[in-house]
Amino acid sequence: MPILRSAALFVLAAVLEIGGAWLVWQGIREHRGWMWAAGGVLALGAYGFVATFQPDAHFGRVLAAYGGIFVAGSILCGVVADGYRPDRWDISGALVCLAGMALIMWAPRNG
């Protein structure tokens, strides 16, 4: 169960961080207004709290592992939000990042 909880927290963190960055991008770069950007700032702030709920107590480990989720989530967001079509190298790279995330976060450790 701790792995499922941890995975769910990583997904929530990705939604908040990537979604928040997308909202800021839309608000500023796409001229949708400051309310979009403000929503993005709030989402990014909420993202900062999510990592504190990870079962692992090591900030560096949690943040490093989250990097794999961020890479894969960013590609997925591009597919959903922008119609981006990842090629086999994008997908392969994302899978490598996810494998690295799993090793960093959930590998069996002594002690």
Side-chain angles (χ1 to χ4, degrees):
M1 202 54 131
I3 290 177
L4 290 177
R5 180 174 184 260
S6 177
L9 287 168
F10 278 136
V11 170
L12 177 59
V15 168
L16 290 169
E17 184 183 18
I18 297 165
W22 184 82
L23 287 170
V24 171
W25 180 284
Q26 293 298 309
I28 304 303
R29 189 163 177 138
E30 301 298 326
H31 308 287
R32 293 194 179 202
W34 288 101
M35 292 302 289
W36 283 67
V41 168
L42 290 173
L44 288 165
Y47 150 75
F49 286 92
V50 171
T52 67
F53 297 110
Q54 281 289 349
D56 193 294
H58 299 93
F59 174 77
R61 180 178 295 147
V62 170
L63 198 59
Y66 171 69
I69 299 294
F70 179 80
V71 169
S74 295
I75 290 174
L76 181 61
C77 181
V79 169
V80 172
D82 294 327
Y84 171 67
R85 303 278 301 170
D87 63 21
R88 64 184 172 166
W89 301 111
D90 294 325
I91 293 168
S92 298
L95 291 173
V96 167
C97 290
L98 289 173
M101 177 279 305
L103 283 173
I104 291 168
M105 195 67 190
W106 301 320
R109 292 185 164 79
N110 295 328

